[in-house]
Amino acid sequence: VGQKGIAAALRFVDGRGPNTVILDLLYEYFQVEEGRELIDNIYHSHNPRLEISKVSRIVFKAVDLHDQVALEIINDVSKEISLSIYTLYQKLFRYDEQVEVILCGGLFSNQEILPGLIQENIKGYTNKLSFTLPELPPVAGSVIGAYIELDRSINEIVKKKLREFWK
């Protein structure tokens, strides 16, 4: 999503694509004033992949602002994720098997947009998939794993503290 957002913004700068609020949001976020500075800021950073992934939040913000380019990016990404989920379903499960899909990761931190689009897209393939958004981020599983490794129990107090921490 971040890479597609950056590409769309730069296509507008080059005159090859439609205007998008993503560009203004990127300029503001990276505190730059032109496309070349934006590219340098991202690709000469210590961790370009991390910078690119952070841009997904900007694309989602542009969706909230009803930016057509951002909406197209999210729609395209939702279709690709849906197809990937369905392809895995076909390869790993029987055609009549009911399967729960866990949607986790940074792209799903905005629980309103992408999960709904994916669920809607999947309906065109099968009705055998249900979707769940985890209550805690994946990194919480590492914390729980560390507790288990130390032979410590995961009681209600620990669960409550984890939920509070990742609100």
Side-chain angles (χ1 to χ4, degrees):
V1 171
Q3 187 176 28
K4 289 177 182 289
I6 293 165
L10 293 174
R11 276 194 301 275
F12 173 68
V13 169
D14 292 344
R16 299 178 295 123
N19 191 1
T20 175
V21 73
I22 296 170
L23 181 64
D24 295 328
L25 294 172
L26 286 171
Y27 283 175
E28 180 182 327
Y29 179 79
F30 288 102
Q31 299 178 350
V32 297
E33 295 179 7
E34 59 181 41
R36 183 76 236 167
E37 288 178 290
L38 178 63
I39 293 168
D40 290 344
N41 220 310
I42 294 169
Y43 292 100
H44 293 127
S45 71
H46 292 294
N47 191 343
R49 291 182 75 180
L50 178 62
E51 293 302 322
I52 292 167
S53 71
K54 288 179 185 178
V55 172
S56 66
R57 291 186 201 114
I58 291 171
V59 174
F60 279 104
K61 184 175 181 180
V63 167
D64 289 339
L65 297 171
H66 308 288
D67 181 79
Q68 192 59 43
V69 172
L71 288 164
E72 288 174 17
I73 290 170
I74 297 303
N75 276 321
D76 289 347
V77 167
S78 74
K79 289 175 185 172
E80 189 60 36
I81 292 171
S82 300
L83 182 57
S84 294
I85 291 169
Y86 181 63
T87 301
L88 285 171
Y89 172 73
Q90 287 181 304
K91 291 179 184 257
L92 300 175
F93 301 96
R94 293 184 323 270
Y95 76 93
D96 60 343
E97 193 170 352
Q98 190 70 37
V99 175
E100 180 179 18
V101 177
I102 310 298
L103 299 175
C104 63
L107 280 180
F108 303 106
S109 56
N110 181 328
Q111 297 183 0
E112 303 300 315
I113 299 171
L114 204 50
L117 290 171
I118 291 169
Q119 289 178 35
E120 198 57 40
N121 291 333
I122 286 292
K123 288 179 185 176
Y125 298 117
T126 182
N127 63 354
K128 297 294 182 185
L129 300 176
S130 60
F131 294 87
T132 300
L133 290 162
E135 191 176 332
L136 297 171
V139 70
S142 299
V143 174
I144 292 168
Y147 263 78
I148 293 168
E149 188 70 26
L150 295 170
D151 287 328
R152 297 190 58 193
S153 64
I154 309 299
N155 58 32
E156 288 306 312
I157 294 170
V158 172
K159 290 178 188 177
K160 181 181 178 191
K161 288 191 181 280
L162 287 171
R163 282 187 203 100
E164 288 172 359
F165 184 78
W166 275 291
K167 269 189 179 176

